[in-house]
Amino acid sequence: DPAQAAQAAAQAAAEAQAAAELEAKLDAAEQAQDWRLAKGYAEVLLAEHPASAAAARVRPRLEGLRAKAEAQAQQRRLAALWSYDDIAVPGGRQRSAAIYSQRPVDTDGSGAHPVRLIFRDHPSWGRSAYLVLQAGDFDCYRGCRLTVSVDGQAHTLPGSRPRTDEAIAMFIEDWKGLWKLAKSGRQLTIEFPTKAVGRRSATFEVGGLDPARLPKWN
């Protein structure tokens, strides 16, 4: 039947057009390196137009798009763990990058609390790296040695607890070394001495650090 054949041809053309439009959107998302969107277009195309020529071209790319989308989502999650400040202070601007420990740590026997790692650049006080506790205290008033591991590789860095009650803070004296480790790794663990419960460790997922936010450090 010519009418049925014409109708089938028109339907096939519309199907091919819809598939090609999805493929074009996929290509644009891929060009923009929006892997989540590209993966979504690929999955819709394969679900709705599985027999199309576009589907045949896209099908071999799907697993790669899924892997890239997962990696991009993970990197965005890691980046969101960091908070940055850039504020006016006497003499210029104070910039800082801070991150909370992956899991809370019991530092005084009363229960687990987050530990915070901060990198700070102050116009008068210079650059520093330090840990801040919410409870308990560091046993580092006369100086101490800290075991710092990045992705399983251990290093020893000096620490010191200033005699101040403003914050429960301990400086990592080799801030350059710690910054280098934080920039290069994905997981950073600092083992430190406490007054109440001995040595404790805090782990930070540092892989999302944006070094450009502290430009003088690089």
Side-chain angles (χ1 to χ4, degrees), residues 114-198:
V115 178
R116 203 173 196 202
L117 170 62
I118 301 174
F119 294 96
R120 184 183 64 196
D121 188 353
H122 191 279
S124 301
W125 306 331
R127 291 168 225 174
S128 56
Y130 53 99
L131 294 178
V132 177
L133 300 182
Q134 291 186 5
D137 201 349
F138 297 101
D139 187 14
C140 193
Y141 281 90
R142 293 181 178 147
C144 56
R145 307 295 286 175
L146 308 170
T147 300
V148 180
S149 302
V150 61
D151 299 337
Q153 294 276 60
H155 307 262
T156 301
L157 300 181
S160 68
R161 167 74 161 102
R163 292 193 174 275
T164 172
D165 294 327
E166 290 181 11
I168 309 168
M170 180 190 65
F171 287 92
I172 294 89
E173 297 296 339
D174 184 6
W175 53 263
K176 285 184 181 178
L178 190 68
W179 177 254
K180 185 176 179 181
L181 294 176
K183 282 200 308 178
S184 66
R186 295 186 69 79
Q187 195 168 70
L188 181 79
T189 299
I190 302 176
E191 183 185 288
F192 52 88
T194 69
K195 281 186 170 183
V197 290

Side-chain angles (χ1 to χ4, degrees), residues 193-209:
T194 69
K195 281 186 170 183
V197 290
R199 297 189 75 83
R200 288 291 185 265
S201 294
T203 297
F204 305 89
E205 292 185 276
V206 294
L209 174 62

Side-chain angles (χ1 to χ4, degrees), residues 30-115:
E30 199 171 28
Q31 189 72 25
Q33 297 189 346
D34 188 337
W35 304 114
R36 182 190 63 81
L37 192 59
K39 175 183 78 78
Y41 283 131
E43 289 173 342
V44 170
L45 194 162
L46 293 172
E48 295 184 355
H49 312 288
S52 65
R57 290 190 293 270
V58 166
R59 193 169 284 109
R61 296 156 60 186
L62 181 58
E63 285 310 309
L65 291 172
R66 283 175 172 163
K68 288 180 178 179
E70 173 62 27
Q72 189 173 61
Q74 172 71 347
Q75 191 58 31
R76 285 174 176 166
R77 183 189 72 81
L78 291 171
L81 297 177
W82 285 93
S83 61
Y84 302 92
D85 276 329
D86 184 350
I87 58 175
V89 295
R93 301 195 70 80
Q94 174 181 280
R95 295 179 175 88
S96 65
I99 186 171
Y100 283 103
S101 54
Q102 185 177 9
R103 286 179 294 277
V105 181
D106 185 354
T107 51
D108 70 344
S110 69
H113 301 274
V115 178

